Amino acid sequence: MARNVVVSGGGTGIGRAVAEVFAGGGDRVLLLGRRAEVLKSAGVRGALTYAADLADPESVRGVAEFVAAEFGTVDVLIHSAGGNGGLEPGAEGSDPLDAVAHDWGLNFRLNTLTAVLLTEALRERLASPGGRVLFLSSIAAYRGSGSGAYAASKAALHPYAFDLAREFGPRGITVNVVAPGYVEDTEFFGGPVAQARRARLVAETSTGRAGTPADVADTLHWLASPGAGHVTAQIVQVNGGAERGH
């Protein structure tokens, strides 16, 4: 039976790969993101699209109303929206504390608040039993991200997911987190990665290669399957062993 699948950040990179896997299996998919034109050009077969700023409560209310009208029940909710706050406009002025406040606030809006607001807006629409909530974290949540802001915004999803798993468990809903490492073919770096940096990131893995959006998408697809029905409150790392060092 076809499931109703909501994918935030579904227009590019990992989100689009996730949407393609579910749509390819016959599920009904809704792509969410800030850029309507990107969602429409994603090319995911049969997918619905809805453009919204998921860090804005009013916009998320609009998403919830759309989901209610088009889907009714949400079988799988996947949070792929977010990204590198360093690619967004910086703080105005030169005050260093203003810059810190802007950086941390921005990263938490992009990576934490988007996921929390969407989950809370759709919590009563999750299929019971059988619903799945899946968050995208990062290897940075374990190893840091340079400034700390991005890593912290991803790490914040972990306890939220654990709390939801306890709350939703009696309803037959599982909640898990997937934490990718270096993944190519995404917009995360804002452009091509320098060869020296790429070589260093690949060398950190035990598999000797960069990750792909499909690696992450296939893991999420399994976590949403009946076979993963007793897997909840887990963080699944998809990084070729890089978090363990090499």
Side-chain angles (χ1 to χ4, degrees), residues 84 87 182-194 197-198:
N84 182 355
L87 300 180
Y182 171 52
V183 176
E184 294 187 312
D185 299 323
T186 74
E187 295 184 337
F188 181 81
F189 295 99
V193 176
R197 184 180 187 186
R198 181 187 184 280

Side-chain angles (χ1 to χ4, degrees), residues 7-245:
V7 183
S8 74
T12 63
I14 292 172
R16 182 172 64 185
V18 170
E20 288 174 341
V21 168
F22 281 91
D27 294 322
R28 299 181 66 209
V29 177
L30 169 62
L31 307 181
L32 304 176
R34 289 184 291 177
R35 300 170 294 177
E37 68 282 1
V38 172
L39 296 174
K40 291 176 181 177
S41 64
V44 178
R45 184 180 63 189
L48 300 174
T49 65
Y50 189 97
D53 178 358
L54 299 178
D56 175 66
E58 188 59 34
S59 295
V60 175
R61 289 188 190 98
V63 172
E65 292 172 359
F66 185 83
V67 169
E70 296 292 336
F71 280 179
T73 298
V74 176
D75 296 288
V76 184
L77 175 57
I78 300 173
H79 298 284
S80 186
N84 182 355
L87 300 180
E88 303 287 330
E92 296 181 1
S94 58
D95 185 275
L97 282 182
D98 287 344
V100 169
H102 175 83
D103 184 35
W104 281 72
L106 175 61
N107 275 280
F108 270 82
R109 281 180 62 84
L110 285 173
N111 297 302
T112 314
L113 189 59
T114 53
V116 172
L117 288 179
L118 185 59
T119 301
E120 296 302 321
L122 298 180
R123 59 162 48 229
E124 298 307 320
R125 298 211 164 271
L126 296 170
S128 302
R132 301 285 190 264
V133 182
L134 297 165
F135 296 94
L136 264 292
S137 178
S138 170
I139 191 174
Y142 294 89
R143 306 200 318 180
S145 57
S147 70
Y150 172 76
S153 70
K154 285 298 192 180
L157 295 173
H158 300 183
Y160 179 56
F162 300 155
D163 286 345
L164 289 177
R166 294 188 190 97
E167 179 183 354
F168 290 168
R171 292 173 54 188
I173 299 169
T174 66
V175 184
N176 290 289
V177 180
V178 172
Y182 171 52
V183 176
E184 294 187 312
D185 299 323
T186 74
E187 295 184 337
F188 181 81
F189 295 99
V193 176
Q195 284 300 310
R197 184 180 187 186
R198 181 187 184 280
R200 176 178 59 80
L201 292 170
V202 170
E204 291 175 348
T205 71
S206 298
T207 55
R209 68 170 178 86
T212 68
D215 290 325
V216 183
D218 288 341
T219 303
L220 290 164
H221 193 249
W222 176 75
L223 286 169
S225 73
H230 200 50
V231 178
T232 196
Q234 301 301 306
I235 303 170
V236 181
Q237 298 195 47
V238 184
N239 55 46
E243 188 272 332
R244 297 295 182 185

